[in-house]
Amino acid sequence: MKRFIYIITDRNRNNLHVGLCSDLLKTLQFYGQMPTLFFDSAQQLNRLVYFEEINTEEQAMERFKFVSTFTRPQKEKMIRSVNPNWVDLTIGLNFENTTRTRPMIRPSISAARKLVTF
């Protein structure tokens, strides 16, 4: 089963929280529903700035333990290596999730053209 290691921060980048989960979208929804879980409302963790997808649970746990020991400059360097502008990555994840669903099949345009007569 795939696991995700992620770093989430607040809007001012004051706090960097490292986490481990199996479903990244559900975890991010949880952070949205519990805005004052770790900090007060001014420091709400709502921006996903880094994540890794790891295939096995053992490797994910080892990587999580390793990344959790990083100092703030080490975490910032890791984030900037893949996300130099600290863009919120949840937008891309939500977009990818919606594109995976199969759209409704609509009738072909050529069939509609045949019905039009002048």
Side-chain angles (χ1 to χ4, degrees):
M1 177 175 251
K2 293 184 180 182
R3 300 286 179 172
F4 295 92
I5 295 170
Y6 61 90
I7 299 178
I8 192 168
T9 187
D10 59 351
R11 66 179 177 199
N12 296 324
R13 302 184 211 161
N14 291 330
N15 303 299
L16 295 175
H17 176 73
V18 178
L20 172 69
C21 68
S22 60
D23 189 349
L24 194 54
L25 289 174
K26 284 186 181 179
T27 303
L28 294 171
Q29 288 174 354
F30 175 75
Y31 278 107
Q33 293 169 355
M34 304 289 286
T36 58
L37 181 64
F38 294 108
F39 306 103
D40 63 1
S41 60
Q43 299 172 332
Q44 176 180 342
L45 298 175
N46 58 1
R47 293 183 186 209
L48 177 70
V49 291
Y50 179 86
F51 71 93
E52 295 178 22
E53 184 177 347
I54 301 176
N55 291 329
T56 65
E57 190 172 346
E58 295 80 23
Q59 290 175 341
M61 190 55 111
E62 289 298 318
R63 181 70 175 157
F64 172 71
K65 289 177 184 177
F66 181 66
V67 172
S68 294
T69 61
F70 282 9
T71 61
R72 182 176 177 94
Q74 289 173 315
K75 290 177 189 173
E76 287 181 1
K77 184 177 179 182
M78 187 171 70
I79 293 166
R80 285 196 177 103
S81 69
V82 294
N83 188 359
N85 296 327
W86 293 61
V87 176
D88 186 8
L89 302 175
T90 54
I91 298 165
L93 286 175
N94 288 333
F95 177 75
E96 182 178 323
N97 190 37
T98 57
T99 57
R100 285 186 182 175
T101 59
R102 186 174 177 173
M104 290 181 48
I105 299 173
R106 66 179 202 162
S108 68
I109 295 173
S110 61
R113 287 183 184 166
K114 289 178 184 178
L115 297 175
V116 178
T117 57
F118 291 105

